[in-house]
C-alpha cells in the first residue's frame, strides 16, 4: 500500500525530540486526505534516534507500535518503482479508443483528441504513481518499510536523494552505537 508523506525530517543533527529521522505518512487518495482533515486518518510513522527505531501504524481498527533498539538493526534500504507498464497500457488503450472514434465517426479530430487525452493521463499517472520505499531490517530478518509516493495535496516531494540520506543516517547511527559499545567495553576491561 502506497502512502503519501505528511511530514518529513532527515538530518545529521537531531531535532527537538532527539530524532535524526521522522517520517509521518498517510494512505493515499482523496478519501484518506479528507479523513486526515477531520483527524481520523490512518497514519504510519517511523523515527530514528541514537538509541532506537520506532515504527508505528494506526488505523480505525487499532494501533501498533514497534520499538527496536538501534543495535538490533542489521540494515537499512531504499529504492523506487516506476509504473511505466501501466502508463504504456493507458496510452495504448487511448490509441484504441481514438482509432475506434475515427472509424465510427470518420473524424480524425475526435480520435486525435482522445489519443492526446490518453497521453496526458498516462504521463500524469506515471509521475504521480512513482513509489519510493524506505525501511530497515532487524537482526531476525524482519523488514519494516514505508512505501511512499508523491504528495500533491500536502506538498511533500520526496526523492531518491532524500531516501539515500535517511539510509546513510541510519547506518551512521548504527556505526556510532557500535563504536560507543567498543569504547565502553575497552574502558571497563
Amino acid at each position: 500500500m502506497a502512502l503519501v508523506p505528511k511530514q518529513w525530517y532527515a538530518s545529521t543533527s537531531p531535532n527537538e525530540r532527539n530524532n535524526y529521522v521522522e517520517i509521518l505518512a498517510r494512505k493515499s487518495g482523496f478519501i484518506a486526505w479528507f479523513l486526515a482533515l477531520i483527524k481520523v486518518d490512518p497514519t504510519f510513522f517511523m523515527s530514528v534516534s541514537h538509541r532506537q527505531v520506532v515504527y508505528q501504524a494506526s488505523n480505525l481498527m487499532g494501533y501498533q507500535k514497534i520499538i527496536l533498539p538501534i543495535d538490533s538493526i542489521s540494515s537499512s534500504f531504499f529504492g523506487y518503482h516506476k509504473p511505466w507498464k501501466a502508463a504504456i497500457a493507458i496510452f495504448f488503450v487511448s490509441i484504441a479508443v481514438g482509432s475506434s472514434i475515427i472509424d465510427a465517426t470518420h473524424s480524425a479530430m475526435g480520435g486525435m483528441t482522445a489519443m492526446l487525452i490518453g497521453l496526458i493521463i498516462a504521463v500524469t499517472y506515471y509521475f504521480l504513481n512513482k513509489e519510493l520505499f524506505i525501511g530497515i531490517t532487524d537482526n531476525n530478518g524482519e523488514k519494516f518499510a514505508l512505501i511512499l509516493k508523491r504528495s500533491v495535496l500536502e506538498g511533500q516531494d520526496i526523492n531518491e536523494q532524500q531516501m539515500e540520506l535517511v539510509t546513510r543516517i541510519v547506518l551512521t547511527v548504527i556505526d556510532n552505537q557500535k563504536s560507543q559499545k567498543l569504547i565502553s567495553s575497552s574502558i571497563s576491561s
Side-chain angles (χ1 to χ4, degrees):
M1 154 190 47
L3 307 168
V4 292
K6 292 173 68 169
Q7 295 175 355
W8 178 275
Y9 177 81
S11 175
T12 54
S13 57
N15 64 10
E16 63 277 355
R17 289 175 292 286
N18 286 323
N19 290 325
Y20 295 95
V21 174
E22 285 186 359
I23 303 169
L24 177 64
R26 65 164 177 83
K27 288 185 179 180
S28 63
F30 181 76
I31 293 172
W33 173 77
F34 178 74
L35 289 174
L37 283 179
I38 58 174
K39 306 286 187 215
V40 293
D41 60 326
T43 57
F44 299 82
F45 179 74
M46 187 169 97
S47 68
V48 177
S49 72
H50 70 283
R51 301 191 66 193
Q52 64 190 16
V53 173
V54 175
Y55 181 86
Q56 64 188 36
S58 67
N59 59 35
L60 298 175
M61 303 300 221
Y63 174 80
Q64 177 185 23
K65 184 174 189 175
I66 300 163
I67 302 171
L68 299 165
I70 203 70
D71 57 355
S72 73
I73 306 300
S74 64
S75 67
S76 180
F77 58 90
F78 76 98
Y80 63 87
H81 168 76
K82 293 183 179 181
W84 61 270
K85 289 179 184 178
I88 290 172
I90 291 168
F91 181 62
F92 281 130
V93 166
S94 72
I95 289 174
V97 169
S99 297
S100 297
I101 291 171
I102 291 171
D103 288 343
T105 63
H106 303 293
S107 167
M109 183 61 112
M112 295 303 283
T113 302
M115 290 180 201
L116 179 63
I117 290 170
L119 176 64
I120 292 169
I121 291 171
V123 168
T124 303
Y125 180 86
Y126 178 81
F127 284 109
L128 291 181
N129 287 293
K130 176 181 174 184
E131 294 179 346
L132 299 143
F133 58 89
I134 184 119
I136 54 142
T137 306
D138 69 8
N139 290 335
N140 296 327
E142 191 167 352
K143 295 181 180 184
F144 301 91
L146 296 175
I147 300 170
L148 304 170
K149 66 182 198 175
R150 183 181 299 255
S151 173
V152 176
L153 298 174
E154 277 88 359
Q156 297 284 335
D157 186 19
I158 308 304
N159 58 37
E160 294 85 15
Q161 291 79 23
Q162 291 164 305
M163 296 293 205
E164 183 176 8
L165 174 63
V166 169
T167 301
R168 289 182 187 276
I169 290 169
V170 170
L171 295 177
T172 301
V173 169
I174 291 170
D175 288 343
N176 289 344
Q177 183 75 7
K178 287 179 182 177
S179 296
Q180 287 177 356
K181 283 189 172 190
L182 286 174
I183 291 170
S184 296
S185 66
S186 65
I187 291 174
S188 63
S189 300

